[in-house]
């Protein structure tokens, strides 16, 4: 199985700041990488697919980059609604696998 | 609006069975692959199974092969997960998720999840 290593596991930031989350795959996954947002009481939301393509409805302050094994999710000018848990996931091969998550909290 | 609503969760004894359902609305169900994903505090998010648009192709994680069966009824816009020979390690919140029509697709919509507890 492809192992997805996500870091950091915890991140504290203030509204208006920018943050980045890293996701590393144990082997090349091309650009078959998605980022999700998890918030209490809400369904998980697909933010980005294909490494850098924003899903419809995802604000432009979110961006994704990378290919192969190294990927990054960047959120510019954090807003209050962005404080959540973020997961990466590879869908290049079965079984699809997820990172362990990054909890983004308000500083 | 795409909606996925899971049902059928609960408390079940080890070795027994449980069947989850996922009612879909807001899109042409038969055009999309579907999946089940589970989550626990210790293991995080784990993909469980996927099914192709017509139901002819199914895929499972190794730990549930031979015990779980994913299926769908396109006339009812519903997918199912039959879980047999349940083990304590199957305890989790189970999410229904929509995949694209291709085998390699992300999960673009999720349900809110249903809890399954396997315990005596």
């Amino acid at each position: 199985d492809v192992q997805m290593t996500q870091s950091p596991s915890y991140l504290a930031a203030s509204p208006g700041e920018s943050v980045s989350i890293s996701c590393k795959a144990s082997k090349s996954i091309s650009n078959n990488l998605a980022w999700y947002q998890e918030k209490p009481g809400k369904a998980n939301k697909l933010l980005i697919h294909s490494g850098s393509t924003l899903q419809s409805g995802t604000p432009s302050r979110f961006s994704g980059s990378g290919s192969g094994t190294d990927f990054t999710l960047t959120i510019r000018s954090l807003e209050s609604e962005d404080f959540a848990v973020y997961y990466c996931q590879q869908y290049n091969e079965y079984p699809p696998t997820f990172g362990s998550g990054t909890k983004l909290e308000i500083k | 609006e795409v909606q996925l609503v899971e049902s059928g969760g609960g408390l079940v004894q080890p070795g027994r069975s449980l069947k989850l359902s996922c009612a879909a609305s807001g899109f042409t169900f038969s055009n999309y692959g579907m999946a089940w994903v589970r989550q626990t505090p210790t293991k995080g998010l784990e993909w469980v199974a996927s099914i192709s648009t017509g139901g002819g192709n199914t895929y499972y994680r190794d730990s549930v092969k031979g015990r779980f069966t994913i299926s769908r009824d396109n006339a009812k816009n519903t997918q199912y997960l039959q879980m047999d020979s349940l083990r304590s390690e199957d305890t989790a919140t189970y999410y229904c998720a929509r995949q694209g029509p291709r085998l390699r697709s992300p999960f673009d919509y999720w349900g809110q999840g249903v809890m399954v507890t396997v315990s005596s």
Side-chain angles (χ1 to χ4, degrees), chain A residues 19-107:
Chain A
V19 297
S20 292
I21 299 169
S22 170
C23 184
K24 295 183 186 294
S26 60
K27 60 190 281 189
S28 177
I29 56 170
S30 184
N31 67 339
N32 294 308
L33 189 283
W35 291 96
Y36 301 91
Q37 181 188 65
E38 176 189 270
K39 298 176 82 170
K42 292 194 170 183
N44 290 348
K45 182 180 179 184
L46 172 66
L47 298 173
I48 289 171
H49 64 87
S50 305
S52 60
T53 301
L54 264 61
Q55 178 72 352
S56 175
T58 300
S60 58
R61 61 182 180 275
F62 289 85
S63 64
S65 63
S67 66
T69 60
D70 290 356
F71 300 85
T72 302
L73 171 68
T74 299
I75 313 171
R76 294 181 290 103
S77 301
L78 281 165
E79 298 193 7
S80 57
E81 65 202 49
D82 300 336
F83 293 93
V85 181
Y86 293 88
Y87 295 93
C88 62
Q89 179 236 333
Q90 69 82 19
Y91 52 93
N92 190 63
E93 61 180 66
Y94 273 65
T97 47
F98 293 85
S100 55
T102 295
K103 186 173 186 178
L104 175 58
E105 288 196 341
I106 301 176
K107 188 186 291 182

Side-chain angles (χ1 to χ4, degrees), chain A residues 36 38 41 43 87 91-92 94, chain B residues 39 47 103-104 107 110 112:
Chain A
Y36 301 91
E38 176 189 270
Y87 295 93
Y91 52 93
N92 190 63
Y94 273 65
Chain B
Q39 184 175 32
W47 166 80
L103 175 65
R104 295 189 297 181
F107 307 112
W110 298 58
Q112 296 217 3

